[in-house]
Amino acid sequence: MTTLRSRIIAWAGRLYLARTRKKGFDLSRMSFLPESVLMPLRRDGLDPVNDLGAVREKEPVTKLPVPIAANVWLVTGYDEVKAVLGKANAFSSDFTNLVGKAGAGAEQNPGGLGFADPPVHTRLRRLLTPEFTMRRLGRLTPRIHEIVEERLDAMERAGKNGEPVDIVHHFALPIPSLVICELLGVPYEDRADFERLSAARFDLFSGANASFGAISESLSYFRDVVKKQRQDPGDGLLGMIVKEHGDSVSDEELAGLADGVLTGGFETTASMLALGALVLLQDPEHFAALKDGDESVDRYVEELLRYLTVVQVAFPRFAREDLEIGGVQIASGDVVLCSLSGADRDGKLGPEMEQFDPTRNVPSHLAFGYGIHRCVGAELARMELRAAYPALVRRFPTMRLAAGPEELTFRKLSIVYGIDSLPVHLDG
């Protein structure tokens, strides 16, 4: 079976290679991804697969045997990943590198910060940054705590007869989706679409075309939102940008920015809330330690971010020039994939990095990326996690898992790692 699968991949690769020579590198046309590329997206429960650590220890910068025209490099070492992500002038993140110049029409180009290079990236980030300062985010603090308490009430109602309650459905998904609605200034009733579209874009198990379809649908939705905000600007992020910058920012740019906020602020935080709860529930001592919500919360949140690193791989980088990373020569035009989950488990950072240990001196993790593309909403995510974990423990101090480890199902082949369901008994 393995041999047959390898032959099929090789045949498809030769066919795809012939097409790319004519049309350029176009991921939207790529209906398969070789196993060597998928390995950094695989996990064994909460941990990256052993193969990823083995590759990092042997070759932190290694060439992947993929059947496309360009060389593809996997970077797994902490220092090497920082070197790539920190060289914005040497690497491009522009979306057209993935879909080709001819196929990068406005209807499918997500724009936003993650897929833009300077000077476009610089201008767009300047639009967003003021809305993500602690002063501006402070206005969301009371609402975040209200949303958390509302979701705890919903959990209590769902488990009033002693039935198991799903943390993913009742807690982890609603909190960030409601916060994003509040931040952007869009209707709460739209959060079901947020959840569906955000999860679909990161799911490579369904193929690249499905991911691009979710992006296209999301952008179409946000174009309609932007049109409404143009007519009647609200107090959310989109309305504030419209008020302050007017027509100097286009509808397409605003839709791309909103899509980027959804991309970076919903699925990632939802996965952190669910998987973080699982980590804590596996150790009653850790779970109880968050009850008082004191300064220890910060240590727990940062270590959970490092340990889980739910964004497993950074957006692809494309070398603009010949350069050296970790002693390896990267040629102009090569594709570089940075494994954030691999880098955050690098033994160079300290002993036993494969273990969750909130007492350690937490290194500067890469859960939010690094360099100019570091997540602009990092502080908002931290605010949600710091509010949610202690509140969950205080409300349900004897909560326990309602399923064994073998019964839990995790997301397969997703750039943002997550769990499908996390049933718990509220009263232990």
Side-chain angles (χ1 to χ4, degrees), residues 38-355:
L38 299 178
M39 183 267 290
L41 303 181
R42 298 192 184 280
R43 292 206 186 190
D44 181 9
L46 296 173
D47 299 314
V49 293
N50 290 333
D51 288 350
L52 187 62
V55 167
R56 182 187 62 235
E57 298 308 311
K58 183 179 180 181
E59 295 179 289
V61 181
T62 183
K63 186 177 178 180
L64 296 177
V66 295
I68 62 174
N71 293 325
V72 178
W73 300 89
L74 175 64
V75 183
T76 52
Y78 179 84
D79 293 336
E80 292 79 9
V81 167
K82 285 188 69 175
V84 172
L85 301 185
K87 295 180 182 294
N89 292 331
F91 291 95
S92 171
S93 300
D94 193 286
F95 188 72
T96 58
N97 291 307
L98 290 174
V99 298
K101 299 288 185 183
E107 72 281 354
Q108 65 176 0
N109 190 340
L113 298 177
F115 288 118
D117 293 332
V120 173
H121 174 274
T122 306
R123 185 174 70 85
L124 294 179
R125 192 167 183 109
R126 284 174 180 166
L127 294 176
L128 277 184
T129 299
E131 304 302 321
F132 284 93
T133 61
M134 290 307 296
R135 183 176 64 84
R136 291 281 183 98
L137 291 176
R139 65 184 174 84
L140 287 175
T141 301
R143 184 62 187 131
I144 289 174
H145 285 280
E146 288 178 4
I147 290 171
V148 170
E149 292 301 322
E150 289 168 2
R151 298 321 306 167
L152 294 174
D153 291 342
M155 288 179 64
E156 195 164 358
R157 289 192 297 270
K160 65 181 179 180
N161 295 323
E163 294 296 317
V165 176
D166 182 9
I167 283 183
V168 173
H169 176 74
H170 290 283
F171 191 73
L173 286 175
I175 289 174
S177 62
L178 290 170
V179 170
I180 290 295
C181 287
E182 189 79 27
L183 174 68
L184 292 177
V186 300
Y188 284 171
E189 56 266 24
D190 290 355
R191 71 181 181 87
D193 288 331
F194 279 9
E195 295 172 8
R196 176 178 57 84
L197 292 172
S198 185
R201 74 173 56 216
F202 294 119
D203 180 15
L204 297 185
F205 192 71
S206 300
N209 287 333
S211 297
F212 279 96
I215 292 173
S216 180
E217 190 176 348
S218 178
L219 287 169
S220 178
Y221 164 78
F222 278 118
R223 288 188 197 99
D224 290 338
V225 171
V226 168
K227 289 178 181 177
K228 295 175 183 177
Q229 291 291 325
R230 290 282 191 195
Q231 297 169 357
D232 183 20
D235 295 328
L237 182 148
L238 293 177
M240 295 296 289
I241 293 178
V242 168
K243 292 175 185 177
E244 294 179 14
H245 300 279
D247 294 334
S248 66
V249 56
S250 69
D251 286 3
E252 291 299 334
E253 288 174 327
L254 271 178
L257 287 174
D259 181 73
V261 170
L262 170 63
T263 301
F266 168 61
E267 189 70 18
T268 52
T269 304
S271 291
M272 274 300 306
L273 286 170
L275 293 176
L278 174 58
V279 172
L280 297 172
L281 286 166
Q282 289 176 333
D283 189 319
E285 185 176 336
H286 287 323
F287 189 77
L290 289 176
K291 182 178 180 180
D292 295 331
D294 57 15
E295 65 276 3
S296 65
V297 173
D298 290 350
R299 295 203 315 272
Y300 271 84
V301 167
E302 294 307 309
E303 176 65 355
L304 284 170
L305 286 165
R306 180 206 68 82
Y307 177 70
L308 294 170
T309 311
V310 296
V311 180
Q312 305 196 87
V313 179
F315 291 135
R317 297 316 201 257
F318 295 78
R320 299 173 181 266
E321 60 190 48
D322 295 346
L323 75 162
E324 181 181 300
I325 298 292
V328 175
Q329 286 297 129
I330 307 294
S332 176
D334 285 1
V335 185
V336 178
L337 302 177
C338 290
S339 170
L340 303 180
S341 58
D344 273 344
R345 298 289 186 98
D346 194 333
K348 295 177 183 177
L349 300 178
E352 299 182 336
M353 298 305 289
E354 296 290 342
Q355 306 300 318

Side-chain angles (χ1 to χ4, degrees), residues 399-410:
M399 182 193 304
R400 60 184 173 86
L401 293 171
E406 71 284 353
E407 300 175 83
L408 301 176
T409 57
F410 297 89

